[in-house]
Structures are given as structure tokens and as C-alpha cells.
Amino acid sequence: MINLTFLGAAQTTTGSMHLVEANGLRILLECGLFQGHRKEAFEKNRQLPVDPATLDAVVLSHAHIDHSGNLPTLARHGFKGKVYATPATYDLCDIMLRDSAFIQMHDLEIVNKKRAQQGKHLFEPLYEQQDVEKILSRFEPEPLKRQVDLGSGVSLVFHNAGHILGSALVQLDVKRNNGTSRRLLFSGDLGQPDQPILRDYDFPQGAQVLIVESTYADRNHPSEEDVKGRLKGFIDDIHQLKSKLVIPAFSVGRTQQILYHLNRLTEAGRMKPTPVYVDSPLSLKATKVYTKHRECYDDDASDILRQGIDPMKFPGLQFLETPDQSKALNDLPGPMIIIAASGMCEGGRVLHHLQRCVGDPRNIILIVGFQAENTLGRRIVDRVSPLRILGDEFDLNARVHTINALSAHADRTALTRWLDGVKGSLERVFAVHGEPERVEAMTALAKERGIANAVAPVVGQKFENV
Ligand SMILES: [Zn+2]
């Protein structure tokens, strides 16, 4: 018997968390940070919807913070089980969770300073570095395709999800008293096929129950979008105008994809020598993890390696580590490319660069990923002006462009192809990780492909005996 309770990323894309109860085991799929309005996020992330002490295990599909970022809170409040993830996911969590704790402590200091001045009580941190250490010590890295016994007749197998380094599809098999078993498949985040570096998603067979992401269930990425051609065009423009190309990008995944494209342009002799600054200490660490885990590479990236070329390096590339190095860019003339986190412009060093750059019509802001509602990134895409950045207002005069083809999420066609590939024995589909109209599009898609029992759960909704 399997019960499912959807605790996060239901009718939204953030705070992924689903509880699987099977044969008496309580297994949490993901433990993501909720991101959004500051106050709402602050409260939601603190109020864990499950008692961590009652959990037997966590299974983590990939390292993105909206899937992994609340794991240390579990450790802080009594979680004693194991966290199953792939080896690359473990290495990425090692750097990302430490970074997350650092950012939270830093943000909290600022908030508490204000509160102290106002005579208000001070907030506790969501978690601290010691909680990160605790949860990291509970990780059990497991490679793809290996069957892992979780006890009580429940076993786990990871398959490739093709989304970011180490990302996995989660397959849970639950033995029943009558000798049969029931298979649950969870997509985590599905990657768009043919993206650089990573192998495409697998098609695990035999599942009866599917929990599937829906981020882009109602739309396709432009099919003929020539990413390298457009990048080259923007680079030519900033050479001509001596200006800056600012690319807000998540440190893990998107940044490495962009570096790969710039490497390809350089190797093909199509890119003029250009200073490229990756302004994020986390990006440097993440790129090192990408370099280490070559078992995740696709044939093209493996071929490039065999030619003795590091697919994420090229002349002119510099990783900036200290805030002083970051600030020094302010005084340098263009042309230059600045790649900085965060990807939705909700924090990180990109904010300082945007403050400096959005007012100048010669500059280009290049948006390369999904921008959630209520984020600064979404307001830039919507060309809201003036923009409020770190408390001050700035006119948006810079050019804003979007390259959707760099999305790490599968689009409608890719989701359909994947669903068709795994649907053989499917009886039920639960659509998660999408804004309301997207999860509805996913359930409609599942029905169209012959799975009548497809629903989009709301947060807190429980389904028994699936
Ligand atoms: Zn993700």
C-alpha cells in the first residue's frame, strides 16, 4: 500500500516535497526551499509539514535548492534517517547547502540588526553550518541503475533525468503481501534533451504511478533557436558598443551550459576574444564538480574531452571569488560578459551588476532561464521600469533578450515524448512542479495520452492506496 501526500511544489514550482508512505516506511521525496515573497518564504520554510523524527529516509532527485535546500532544517529538528542521492548530487549538495546556510545567516544578520534597533525580538536562523554538516553525514550516494534496499520490501533505483549534473528519476518498488509489487516513478525535474554536456533522460518501464513535473507543460521552447548564433550576435554588439552583456544564471547547471556554448564558439573561431567574468564563488565550485563527474557526460562532451579540450574553459574566462574582485568590474570598460547568480535575480552578486547596467541602453541583459512570478527576473522580462533593486529604483533602458532554448526543463514536446516512453503500464498520474495552468496542461496531456486518472494535487492533499 502506498500513500502520497503532496507537501510542496503543488500548483507552484518551488519548495518541492512529497511524502511517500509505503509498507510502514515514511520516505520524503525532496526537501526543497520555498522561494518567493520574502516573508512568506521565511514562514513556510520554518514550518516543516512533517515531523523530521518520524521520517525513515529522504530520496533526493537533484541538487537544485528548491529540491534540496531545506534538508538541513530536517537535521536541525531530529531527522535520523539516510538521504539517498547520486554521487554528483551529493557533491553538489556539499557546496550548495553550505552556500545556502551562509546566505541565510548573512541575510538574517541584516534583518536582526534592524529588528534590534526597533526593539523587536530577534529571529533564529532557519539552519546553520552545523546542521548542514549533520545532514551531509547522512547522505548515501548511490549511482544510477543500482537497486537499493530501503527495508520493509521497498527498494529504490535512480535513472538519468538529464536536467543538471547528477539529476535522477526516482523509481520506488513496493512489495505487497500477495507477492506482487507496485512501482512509483518520480520525474524530479526532467531535462530538455540535447542540452550540452549531459546525457538525455532515461525511460524506465513498468511504473503504475507517476509523479511528473509540469514546468513547461503548456509550451515549447523555440525549436530552431540558434543559441550559439544569438550569443555571437550579442557578443558582436557589445564589442561594437564597448558595453556589457549581463547574464543572470544559476551557479549550477545554467552557468556551465553557457560556458560550454562559449567554449564551442571559441573553438570554432566565431567569438572575438572577450573577457568573461563568472562572478560567483559557488559557480567556480560547481564547475569543478562538473569537471569531476564525467560519468554524467554525453557523447559530444566526452569526445571534446578526448580531444584534450576542457569543454567549460576558454581564453578570457575568469572566475571571481572575492567581493572586491566583483566590485572592480564596475570601473572596467566593456566589452565584457558577466555571468552572475542568482538566476531569477532574487539575490546574489548579479543585483549589483544590474544596478550598474540596467540604465545604459548599450548594455544587454540576457535572460536564460525560467523566471518565476514575483521575482526581479520576471519584472525584467516584463520590462517593468523603474525596477526596484536592493531598495533603490533604476530605469530599465538596457536591451533585454531571452534565450529559452537554454532552459534545463523539458518543454511540452519533450515531456510528451518522455510520458509516451514510460506510460506502458501507468494507471495514475500526479502533476506537480508547475504554476496552476501548467499542472492543468500536464493532466490534460496525460489524459490525451490515455491515462484517465491524472490529477494536479494541491498542497497538503493526501491520496491513499495509490
Ligand atoms: Zn531543478
Side-chain angles (χ1 to χ4, degrees), residues 62-64 66-67 163-164 189 408-409 433:
H62 68 292
H64 272 153
D66 61 321
H67 294 255
H163 169 65
I164 60 164
D189 286 355
H409 282 276
H433 202 285

Side-chain angles (χ1 to χ4, degrees), residues 22 24 42 74 85 110 123 164 174 178 197 200 216 220 236 248 274 291 295 319 325 333 367 406 416 431 451:
F42 188 83
L74 289 186
I110 297 169
F123 289 129
I164 60 164
V174 179
N178 62 8
I197 308 167
D200 291 352
Y216 286 112
N220 279 324
D236 289 345
T274 312
T291 306
E295 78 277 8
F319 286 91
Q325 289 175 315
I367 301 291
L406 282 172
T416 309
I451 308 136

Side-chain angles (χ1 to χ4, degrees), residues 400-422:
V400 177
H401 293 280
T402 304
I403 298 187
N404 282 312
L406 282 172
S407 176
H409 282 276
D411 66 5
R412 182 176 172 86
T413 301
L415 282 171
T416 309
R417 190 162 78 85
W418 187 75
L419 186 62
D420 283 345
V422 302

Side-chain angles (χ1 to χ4, degrees), residues 122-173:
L122 304 188
F123 289 129
E124 282 268 306
L126 180 61
Y127 51 78
E128 299 169 80
Q129 292 296 350
Q130 65 200 44
D131 304 312
V132 174
E133 298 295 339
K134 250 193 248 171
I135 200 72
L136 287 172
S137 73
R138 306 221 147 255
F139 268 69
E140 289 278 325
E142 292 289 349
L144 300 180
K145 310 291 181 191
R146 184 148 83 191
Q147 189 170 353
V148 186
D149 184 8
L150 303 185
S152 303
V154 182
S155 61
L156 159 74
V157 180
F158 286 125
H159 301 275
N160 186 34
H163 169 65
I164 60 164
L165 194 84
S167 63
L169 312 168
V170 175
Q171 174 188 310
L172 288 174
D173 287 307

Side-chain angles (χ1 to χ4, degrees), residues 387-400:
L387 287 167
R388 209 172 167 76
I389 307 173
L390 291 171
D392 293 315
E393 294 201 333
F394 299 85
D395 286 329
L396 175 57
N397 299 321
R399 286 159 58 192
V400 177

